[in-house]
Each structure stands twice: as C-alpha cells, then as structure tokens.
Amino acid sequence: MWNWWEKYQREKLHEQLVTELLAASHEAGLPSRDYANAQDMLSVGEYGCAFDIIVQQLYEHEVEISPNLFALVDRVANSMLLNPECYFFLGELVRSPDNLCFLARKKLAILLSSLLSPR
C-alpha cells in the first residue's frame, strides 16, 4: 500500500543527490553546455541520464576532480543501484595531495619526453 511513498522518497533522494553532484561538478569545471544538458534531464526527472552526462563530460573534458567529488559520484551511483562500471574511470581524474592524477602524470610525461628528446 505504501509502495508509492517509498518510490516517491527514492526519487526525491535521487533528485537531491544528482542536483548536488551537478553543482559540485560545475564548480570543478564541468562546461556550462554540459551543465545545462544535465539540468534539462534533471528537470524532467531523468536522473540516470543527468548522471551519465555529468560523469561522461567530466571525463571527456579531463576535469580534475577532488576525492570528495569522486565520493559523491560513488554515493549517487550506489543510491541509484548503478554498477561501478558506469563511473569507475573517473578515478583517473582524482587529484590528491600525495600524487598527481593520471592525466596530469600523462601530460607531464609527454612534456618531459619532448624536453629530453634529441633535437
């Protein structure tokens, strides 16, 4: 009898979490166009599509993310019962005080090799 209420509460939680993720992603550097696309999906209740847009575009634009933002992505995915395959690749973009993120290391390697190569 109360299934509709549980579903409603789940949907509200998804809306809240994806909205929080969208704001944090935009602050981290998600381009405005992608922010608007994800916002459009949110406005019609397509939380999974909004999540996909956010995650894919952060990765596509190689936006460095904080460990907290990655934890939020994980929390949103878990609440929506999504598989880690939907977002695990964002781990390459996580910056930490102890080391450079994967993409920064990759760019640094290219720079160093260009400096060290014989001319």
Side-chain angles (χ1 to χ4, degrees), residues 1-14:
M1 179 163 119
W2 291 97
N3 287 341
W4 67 271
W5 182 251
E6 290 172 358
K7 182 178 179 189
Y8 173 78
Q9 291 299 318
R10 250 190 333 270
E11 292 295 315
K12 289 310 255 179
L13 176 63
H14 295 161

Side-chain angles (χ1 to χ4, degrees), residues 40-88:
D40 288 345
M41 291 294 105
L42 263 174
S43 69
V44 295
E46 293 291 342
Y47 310 119
C49 289
F51 177 84
D52 284 343
I53 290 169
I54 295 165
V55 168
Q56 294 294 330
Q57 293 309 310
L58 284 172
Y59 190 77
E60 182 70 27
H61 295 288
E62 300 179 348
V63 176
E64 271 192 48
I65 62 174
S66 68
N68 289 340
L69 182 54
F70 187 76
L72 180 57
V73 169
D74 185 54
R75 184 172 167 219
V76 173
N78 287 331
S79 80
M80 297 173 73
L81 303 176
L82 299 174
N83 290 325
E85 293 85 29
C86 296
Y87 65 92
F88 76 94

Side-chain angles (χ1 to χ4, degrees), residues 23-47:
S25 297
H26 189 59
E27 189 175 304
L30 182 72
S32 296
R33 179 188 71 244
D34 300 316
Y35 174 86
N37 288 338
Q39 186 65 47
D40 288 345
M41 291 294 105
L42 263 174
S43 69
V44 295
E46 293 291 342
Y47 310 119

